[in-house]
Coordinates of all heavy atoms in Angstrom, one line a residue:
Chain B
S796 N 16.5 8.2 -6.9 CA 17.7 7.7 -7.6 C 17.3 6.5 -8.5 O 17.9 6.3 -9.5 CB 18.7 7.3 -6.5 OG 19.4 6.1 -6.8
S797 N 16.3 5.7 -8.1 CA 15.9 4.6 -8.9 C 15.4 5.1 -10.3 O 15.7 4.5 -11.3 CB 14.7 3.8 -8.3 OG 15.3 2.9 -7.3
V798 N 14.6 6.2 -10.2 CA 14.1 6.8 -11.5 C 15.3 7.2 -12.4 O 15.3 6.9 -13.6 CB 13.2 8.0 -11.3 CG1 12.6 8.4 -12.6 CG2 12.0 7.6 -10.3
A799 N 16.3 7.7 -11.8 CA 17.5 8.1 -12.5 C 18.2 6.9 -13.1 O 18.6 6.9 -14.2 CB 18.5 8.9 -11.6
Q800 N 18.3 5.8 -12.3 CA 18.9 4.6 -12.7 C 18.2 3.9 -13.9 O 18.8 3.4 -14.8 CB 19.1 3.6 -11.6 CG 19.9 4.1 -10.4 CD 21.4 4.2 -10.7 OE1 21.9 3.3 -11.4 NE2 22.0 5.2 -10.2
I801 N 16.8 4.0 -13.8 CA 16.0 3.5 -14.9 C 16.4 4.3 -16.2 O 16.5 3.7 -17.3 CB 14.5 3.6 -14.6 CG1 14.2 2.6 -13.5 CG2 13.7 3.3 -15.9 CD1 12.9 2.9 -12.8
G802 N 16.7 5.6 -16.0 CA 17.1 6.4 -17.1 C 18.4 5.8 -17.7 O 18.5 5.8 -19.0
Y803 N 19.3 5.3 -16.9 CA 20.5 4.7 -17.5 C 20.2 3.5 -18.3 O 20.8 3.3 -19.4 CB 21.5 4.2 -16.4 CG 22.2 5.3 -15.6 CD1 22.2 5.4 -14.2 CD2 23.0 6.2 -16.3 CE1 22.8 6.4 -13.6 CE2 23.7 7.2 -15.7 CZ 23.6 7.3 -14.3 OH 24.3 8.3 -13.6
M804 N 19.3 2.7 -17.9 CA 18.9 1.5 -18.7 C 18.3 1.9 -20.0 O 18.7 1.4 -21.0 CB 17.9 0.6 -17.9 CG 18.4 -0.1 -16.7 SD 17.1 -0.8 -15.7 CE 17.6 -0.3 -14.1
I805 N 17.4 2.9 -19.9 CA 16.7 3.3 -21.2 C 17.8 4.0 -22.1 O 17.7 3.9 -23.3 CB 15.6 4.3 -20.8 CG1 14.6 3.6 -19.9 CG2 14.9 4.8 -22.1 CD1 13.9 2.4 -20.6
L806 N 18.7 4.7 -21.5 CA 19.8 5.3 -22.3 C 20.5 4.3 -23.1 O 20.7 4.4 -24.3 CB 20.7 6.1 -21.4 CG 22.0 6.6 -22.0 CD1 21.7 7.7 -23.0 CD2 22.9 7.2 -20.9
G807 N 20.9 3.2 -22.4 CA 21.6 2.1 -23.1 C 20.8 1.5 -24.2 O 21.3 1.3 -25.3
I808 N 19.5 1.3 -23.9 CA 18.6 0.7 -24.9 C 18.4 1.7 -26.1 O 18.5 1.3 -27.3 CB 17.2 0.4 -24.3 CG1 17.4 -0.7 -23.3 CG2 16.2 0.0 -25.4 CD1 16.2 -0.9 -22.4
S809 N 18.3 3.0 -25.8 CA 18.1 3.9 -26.9 C 19.3 4.1 -27.8 O 19.2 4.6 -28.9 CB 17.6 5.3 -26.4 OG 18.7 5.9 -25.7
M810 N 20.5 3.6 -27.4 CA 21.6 3.7 -28.3 C 21.4 2.7 -29.5 O 21.9 3.0 -30.6 CB 22.9 3.3 -27.6 CG 23.4 4.3 -26.6 SD 24.8 3.7 -25.7 CE 24.9 5.0 -24.4
G811 N 20.6 1.6 -29.3 CA 20.3 0.7 -30.3 C 21.5 -0.1 -30.9 O 21.4 -0.8 -31.9
S812 N 22.7 0.0 -30.2 CA 23.9 -0.7 -30.6 C 24.1 -1.9 -29.7 O 23.5 -2.0 -28.6 CB 25.1 0.2 -30.6 OG 25.3 0.6 -29.3
V813 N 25.0 -2.8 -30.1 CA 25.2 -4.0 -29.2 C 25.8 -3.5 -27.8 O 25.3 -4.0 -26.8 CB 26.2 -4.9 -29.9 CG1 26.5 -6.1 -29.0 CG2 25.6 -5.5 -31.2
T814 N 26.7 -2.6 -27.9 CA 27.3 -2.2 -26.6 C 26.3 -1.5 -25.7 O 26.2 -1.7 -24.5 CB 28.5 -1.2 -26.8 OG1 29.2 -1.6 -28.0 CG2 29.3 -1.1 -25.6
G815 N 25.5 -0.6 -26.3 CA 24.5 0.1 -25.6 C 23.5 -0.8 -24.9 O 23.1 -0.7 -23.8
L816 N 23.0 -1.8 -25.7 CA 22.0 -2.7 -25.3 C 22.6 -3.6 -24.2 O 21.9 -3.9 -23.2 CB 21.5 -3.6 -26.5 CG 20.1 -4.0 -26.5 CD1 19.2 -2.8 -26.2 CD2 19.7 -4.6 -27.8
T817 N 23.8 -4.0 -24.4 CA 24.5 -4.8 -23.4 C 24.5 -4.1 -22.0 O 24.2 -4.6 -21.0 CB 26.0 -5.1 -23.8 OG1 25.9 -5.7 -25.1 CG2 26.6 -6.1 -22.8
A818 N 24.9 -2.8 -22.1 CA 25.0 -1.9 -20.9 C 23.6 -1.9 -20.3 O 23.5 -2.0 -19.1 CB 25.5 -0.5 -21.3
G819 N 22.5 -1.7 -21.1 CA 21.2 -1.6 -20.5 C 20.8 -2.9 -19.8 O 20.3 -2.8 -18.7

Side-chain angles (χ1 to χ4, degrees):
Chain B
S796 143
S797 280
V798 184
Q800 299 288 323
I801 291 160
Y803 286 126
M804 291 170 223
I805 301 299
L806 170 65
I808 293 167
S809 65
M810 288 174 192
S812 63
V813 175
T814 319
L816 215 51
T817 307

